[in-house]
Amino acid sequence: MKKTLLTLSVTASISLSAQSPILIEGNDSSLKVGFLSQVGFEAIGSDRLEGTSQNLFFRRLRLIFAGNFGSNLEYYITTDNPNLGKGSLPDGSRNNSGLLIQDAILIYKFTNKINLDVGFMPVPLSHIGTQGATTLHTWDYPSNALAQNGPIGGSSGRDAGAMVRGVVGKKHGNLEFRVGVFQ
């Protein structure tokens, strides 16, 4: 007798807003610390195994650090522990990738409109690939949004490199550009 495959996913997001992170300021430098947490519930059945896996887990659990050294040098570092506590099989066994560095970027501001980014960052091959998790309105990135992961051996659309990014144009009709060299 063939069993029915059942998948049910529910997610809730909790984040420390940009207006209320922990802020430490020095003479000409600063450090902001925040976090992003997305909690998920998933129930998965299998057509080969008995039972149903029910998982209450952290889809994303991120610590976020940002700040500056002087007026022209900024940094942004994000850690992640994706799927913390998620079971991988109906028998309840757990899988966890562990804590990883999601982003580590040093930003030199030439002007208010042109920056040089150096470090581990999203590769600008698609608009959605450069969006942060807080701006997504779905459970995860669509499968075709990060198609470059295979060829570049990337992690969530990220790679080590350097990129000049900026905005040109007048107030209405700005054009954003990103030009980079990646590993």
Side-chain angles (χ1 to χ4, degrees), residues 131-176:
Q131 284 184 269
T134 57
T135 63
L136 291 175
H137 298 292
T138 61
W139 175 251
D140 215 341
Y141 291 97
S143 60
N144 62 348
L146 301 176
Q148 73 269 18
N149 275 354
I152 69 171
S155 169
S156 298
R158 288 160 169 79
D159 199 6
M163 173 174 58
V164 175
R165 66 181 167 87
V167 177
V168 293
K170 303 213 184 247
K171 190 172 188 174
H172 302 289
N174 287 338
L175 174 66
E176 180 180 334

Side-chain angles (χ1 to χ4, degrees), residues 44 76 82 87 171:
I44 300 176
Y76 179 79
K171 190 172 188 174

Side-chain angles (χ1 to χ4, degrees), residues 63-87:
L63 280 174
I64 303 167
F65 305 92
N68 69 290
F69 301 110
S71 60
N72 291 2
L73 197 56
E74 298 177 351
Y75 60 91
Y76 179 79
I77 301 167
T78 305
T79 64
D80 195 5
N81 199 340
N83 299 320
L84 178 63
K86 182 177 181 180

